[in-house]
Amino acid sequence: MNENNSDKLSLPQTLDLIKDREKESFCLEKVNLAELQRLTGITRAKLRRLHYWLFFFD
C-alpha cells in the first residue's frame, strides 16, 4: 500500500477531531488506536507505547 502522508493529521489534531465527533462520551484512555493509526499514520505499536507511558506514569 502506497499511502501519501500529506493527508495525515498530527496527533493533537486527530484527538480534537475525535473529541468533536464523540462529544461527552470522549475518553482519552479508550481512544480507538486503529482509528488513530488510520488518521495519523503512526503505527499501533507506537501508539500503544505512548498510551502506556501516558497512563501508567500518571
Side-chain angles (χ1 to χ4, degrees):
M1 182 180 278
N2 192 8
E3 293 186 24
N4 185 359
N5 286 335
S6 64
D7 60 343
K8 301 294 182 187
L9 299 171
S10 69
L11 190 55
Q13 289 173 327
T14 304
L15 290 173
D16 286 341
L17 178 69
I18 294 171
K19 192 184 300 183
D20 288 342
R21 278 192 216 155
E22 295 183 10
K23 307 279 187 235
E24 290 86 28
S25 66
F26 177 77
C27 179
L28 187 58
E29 294 178 16
K30 296 181 181 180
V31 170
N32 186 337
L33 297 181
E35 184 177 8
L36 279 177
Q37 178 185 12
R38 184 178 54 81
L39 294 171
T40 63
I42 301 170
T43 64
R44 275 190 259 181
K46 288 182 182 178
L47 290 168
R48 279 192 298 270
R49 281 193 299 268
L50 177 64
H51 185 266
Y52 172 79
W53 283 101
L54 285 175
F55 295 108
F56 183 74
F57 294 110
D58 187 25

